[in-house]
Amino acid sequence: MCGIVGAVGKAEVSPLLLEGLNRLAYRGYDSAGIATITQNGIDRRRAEGKLQNLVAKMANDPLPGTIGIGHTRWATHGGPTENNAHPHASDKVAVVHNGIIENYQELRDELSKHQVRFESETDTEVIVQLITHYINHGMTPIEASRKTLARLHGAFSLGIIFAGDENLICAARRGTPLAIGHGKDAMYIASDALALAPLTNQICYLSDGDFALLTAHKIEIYDDSGARVERPVRTSSLSADMIGKGEYRHFMLKEIHEQPEVLGDTINALMHPASGEVYLPEMTIDFAKINRLTITACGTAYYAGMVAKYWFEQIAKLPVELDIASEWRYRDVPVETSNAMLVISQSGETLDTLEALRLAKKNGYPSFAIINVPESTMAREADATVFTKAGPEIGVASTKAFTTQLATLAALTLHAAKLRGTITADNLRALTAHLREIPALMAEALRLEKEIKLIATDIHTARDVLYLGRGTMFPMAMEGALKLKEISYIHAEGYAAGEMKHGPIALIDEDVPVILLAPPDALLDKTLANMQEVAARGGKVLLISDSKGCTRGKRNAAWAIEMPACDPFIAPLLYALPIQLLAYHIAVLKGTDVDQPRNLAKAVTVE
Ligand code: M6R
């Protein structure tokens, strides 16, 4: 995914665009660029790599203009070079683009026959050349843009400016989000309203298929049939300092530490203010009537779904089919009429998850989504949505979004269990009360950071790390391994502890640290037996348990983290913290780019 931003007004736009790109850098950081229009036509600056490179370039070579577009790129078509960086431009038009043009090769071949020469390897450049081609054949810029849009296949959003017009941005949305900001004497576009937070809080979102014309004082929006439409302007609650790092060195660390608070917000929103019971008034799925729940998601959100499978099956006696979205979409699963689809996504834009949702709806499944970004596509398309209250998550590695997803899934499980009559009133009360304990327990667990940092100094030189756990700690082991891989680039694997003896045990030696997630649940003895198997082979174990588990297992462990005691039901939420902190401190010691790890993007809007 990429980030696009644009502004048309009376002030110089370059500083605003750079600031906007800074806020969108989580969406991609392979290259960045800005184009503006002046009396001399289109001018642009582009730089390979992080935004700082562009900032440095523009400090020496500023870009004047009161209208402009900017882009931060996550490379799809063509490597992360300056030549492939956006904005792409001809002498007549400049374009920024987020998404993919599926038929770009066909269009490129067609334009090549008209002697059009391409400068980059990107799919985006066909948009520039097609608009230019139509303008050269007598169309106005707006007509040429409309005609070009009609020929593009794929999911994308666009910002377009034209030489000779210092008061027009064309914007379009087909599949990937685009927010419009209404300012004083200025209008803005951005892939995410966060980018516009310092400029305006008056935001509207284009709907799928919309085409918009922005001038400094006006916006006209047309839907996909060409009819003039209005899109509601809302006051955004995103404030400019919401995305600062505050006292923290990295967004990831800040987001880890925000968890007690955002978990409190998420849990409170799921509870009835008077009775304190789980309360989901928006939920349109009748859990008593479905025989199976399909859960699909990607990455960390998938691991949240994997934890939920244990909960739904054990507590609500609801069978769960769980799959990675990119697999489920193509698996040609037999359609069951009494099934419902649950998708989980921080961004609400991940293409594989979105397409799985669309397929489920096509198959007649009632659908619901657990989403963090309110105005996202999935939130609009699912029959019902429960919003997590994590707030903006900027670090590419998901932390607070994950635990708020878990809290929401735990509440949903209790809601389903009540409707299905699989839980006693006493047990329901007890589990609800445990869920409410989470913020305080998290605050306690965060105090272990110093110890975890020390352990990280021992582990950060490892080449491979194994994470083991049983029951809900198995998906947590997978999540721990993913966190470590993505930010420290250390190879890590998560395994079901009982499965280790069937293969991975061959990896064990003193150079492969094993992280054992072992809260004292019904399987503790078995998990500790697995730890002995590792220790007996010279393996070094980091035991993560509470005082009870540590007392019993410590002698076989090289390191131990003594967690606050908690009910096994909520252990996944609490045990997320040490694995996040461990990955974070290892990555810091390794000197990697924690918030923007190589090759990754925050939301992946391509297949
Ligand atoms: O926005 P989504 O929750 O749909 O994103 C899904 C994954 O791309 C995401 O969780 C990814 O695995 C994170 N980088 C993990 O930290």
Side-chain angles (χ1 to χ4, degrees):
M1 125 183 129
C2 306
I4 67 179
V5 64
V8 51
K10 292 189 171 152
E12 288 291 307
V13 288
S14 288
L16 311 180
L17 296 177
L18 283 177
E19 168 64 19
L21 290 181
N22 188 30
R23 286 158 186 271
L24 293 176
Y26 72 91
R27 298 174 71 89
Y29 32 83
D30 289 332
S31 64
I34 286 180
T36 58
I37 308 282
T38 61
Q39 284 170 345
N40 301 328
I42 295 168
D43 201 357
R44 61 181 167 154
R45 305 281 180 273
R46 300 179 295 166
E48 191 178 320
K50 296 269 169 77
L51 184 63
Q52 293 91 296
N53 300 347
L54 179 68
V55 173
K57 199 173 205 178
M58 289 179 63
N60 294 328
D61 191 8
L63 196 55
T66 56
I67 176 170
I69 49 179
H71 188 270
T72 179
R73 178 169 188 245
W74 186 69
T76 57
H77 296 68
T81 59
E82 182 174 328
N83 214 35
N84 287 330
H86 298 219
H88 289 282
S90 66
D91 60 337
K92 299 200 166 51
V93 58
V95 173
V96 285
H97 159 220
N98 170 34
I100 283 187
I101 308 302
E102 285 167 4
N103 58 335
Y104 87 100
Q105 191 59 52
E106 185 188 315
L107 295 171
R108 199 173 161 122
D109 293 346
E110 178 186 318
L111 286 160
S112 299
K113 285 185 195 142
H114 293 280
Q115 275 67 54
V116 172
R117 288 203 30 240
F118 287 84
E119 288 171 359
S120 76
E121 303 153 283
T122 64
D123 52 346
T124 310
E125 204 187 341
V126 296
I127 306 172
V128 172
Q129 299 299 355
L130 203 53
I131 296 174
T132 307
H133 175 76
Y134 290 136
I135 293 176
N136 287 341
H137 283 76
M139 288 187 188
T140 65
I142 295 175
E143 286 165 355
S145 303
R146 280 185 189 278
K147 177 140 180 156
T148 298
L149 274 167
R151 301 207 52 203
L152 302 178
H153 299 169
F156 53 82
S157 48
L158 298 174
I160 313 167
I161 52 176
F162 308 92
D165 195 335
E166 289 173 65
N167 194 24
L168 176 66
I169 297 179
C170 288
R173 180 200 161 141
R174 193 108 51 78
T176 62
L178 198 61
I180 309 283
H182 297 242
K184 190 173 176 300
D185 294 331
M187 292 294 239
Y188 310 101
I189 59 169
S191 300
D192 186 330
L194 262 183
L196 305 179
L199 301 171
T200 177
N201 63 358
Q202 296 301 298
I203 302 289
C204 74
Y205 288 86
L206 293 187
S207 293
D208 225 22
D210 281 358
F211 176 67
L213 305 175
L214 289 87
T215 60
H217 293 108
K218 206 169 97 186
I219 176 165
E220 288 173 18
I221 305 178
Y222 299 87
D223 69 11
D224 52 3
S225 73
R228 178 84 191 268
V229 286
E230 298 294 329
R231 301 292 174 214
V233 180
R234 300 202 185 98
T235 304
S236 162
S237 57
L238 295 168
S239 74
D241 47 73
M242 245 174 159
I243 64 150
K245 286 185 207 153
E247 63 191 288
Y248 296 97
R249 181 168 168 198
H250 294 103
F251 281 112
M252 182 180 176
L253 189 61
K254 175 175 174 249
E255 287 158 6
I256 290 173
H257 280 269
E258 280 172 354
Q259 288 176 104
E261 189 185 342
V262 298
L263 262 290
D265 293 345
T266 301
I267 292 166
N268 282 341
L270 296 166
M271 303 285 168
H272 194 282
S275 68
E277 286 175 9
V278 171
Y279 178 64
L280 294 165
E282 310 289 314
M283 182 43 61
T284 51
I285 310 287
D286 186 346
F287 282 91
K289 293 214 175 98
I290 58 172
N291 289 335
R292 185 181 298 278
L293 180 64
T294 297
I295 304 180
T296 61
C298 301
T300 288
Y302 169 74
Y303 296 133
M306 203 166 159
V307 171
K309 177 178 165 72
Y310 286 85
W311 285 337
F312 277 117
E313 293 188 341
Q314 283 166 5
I315 301 169
K317 305 295 171 215
L318 176 61
V320 169
E321 179 207 19
L322 172 80
D323 208 348
I324 293 164
S326 55
E327 288 298 312
W328 189 83
R329 288 175 65 184
Y330 297 110
R331 215 152 46 82
D332 205 6
V333 182
V335 178
E336 292 173 280
T337 48
S338 55
N339 202 335
M341 168 62 95
L342 163 61
V343 294
I344 308 164
S345 175
Q346 187 284 129
S347 60
E349 301 294 344
T350 302
L351 188 71
D352 283 316
T353 312
L354 176 62
E355 290 300 335
L357 169 67
R358 287 175 174 160
L359 179 60
K361 287 185 73 174
K362 199 167 139 213
N363 288 346
Y365 290 9
S367 63
F368 66 106
I370 295 179
I371 305 289
N372 192 44
V373 178
E375 295 288 347
S376 57
T377 310
M378 279 181 233
R380 274 200 303 274
E381 295 195 11
D383 297 333
T385 304
V386 182
F387 291 106
T388 48
K389 305 265 181 254
E393 190 181 65
I394 307 297
V396 164
S398 188
T399 53
K400 59 177 181 167
F402 175 62
T403 45
T404 54
Q405 285 162 355
L406 287 178
T408 308
L409 287 159
L412 262 177
T413 304
L414 299 182
H415 172 77
K418 189 176 168 194
L419 290 179
R420 294 169 71 81
T422 58
I423 191 166
T424 63
D426 281 352
N427 205 13
L428 181 60
R429 246 192 314 277
L431 294 186
T432 309
H434 289 314
L435 205 51
R436 284 182 166 283
E437 291 162 8
I438 272 293
L441 287 170
M442 281 185 158
E444 216 181 305
L446 286 172
R447 289 188 208 121
L448 297 167
E449 182 167 5
K450 262 197 191 140
E451 277 173 57
I452 295 172
K453 198 171 166 182
L454 264 182
I455 297 170
T457 57
D458 289 341
I459 297 183
H460 83 283
T461 48
R463 246 189 48 196
D464 308 280
V465 177
L466 267 186
Y467 287 74
L468 301 177
R470 283 175 180 262
T472 55
M473 289 298 124
F474 166 37
M476 294 306 293
M478 312 268 280
E479 168 60 7
L482 176 65
K483 230 52 335 147
L484 188 68
K485 273 185 273 207
E486 67 179 337
I487 60 169
S488 75
Y489 316 146
I490 293 176
H491 168 244
E493 286 192 55
Y495 257 93
E499 184 67 7
M500 190 193 51
K501 56 189 174 291
H502 299 288
I505 200 164
L507 294 173
I508 300 295
D509 66 25
E510 59 188 17
D511 295 326
V512 181
V514 175
I515 319 291
L516 190 78
L517 299 165
D521 53 20
L523 298 171
L524 179 66
D525 286 340
K526 293 183 195 300
T527 314
L528 292 180
N530 297 136
M531 182 169 89
Q532 278 171 357
E533 290 157 13
V534 173
R537 284 156 183 86
K540 283 188 176 164
V541 179
L542 163 57
L543 172 64
I544 308 183
S545 188
D546 69 2
S547 73
K548 194 168 144 201
C550 285
T551 307
R552 291 181 50 198
K554 226 174 186 167
R555 69 177 180 284
N556 287 318
W559 313 272
I561 297 172
E562 199 174 302
M563 297 287 289
C566 72
D567 188 84
F569 175 53
I570 56 165
L573 287 115
L574 196 59
Y575 281 59
L577 269 51
I579 60 179
Q580 294 167 354
L581 284 169
L582 187 68
Y584 172 78
H585 285 292
I586 289 176
V588 169
L589 286 165
K590 293 206 73 181
T592 58
D593 191 340
V594 172
D595 285 331
Q596 298 180 346
R598 68 185 180 203
N599 304 337
L600 292 177
K602 184 71 185 158
V604 183
T605 51
V606 295
E607 274 203 61

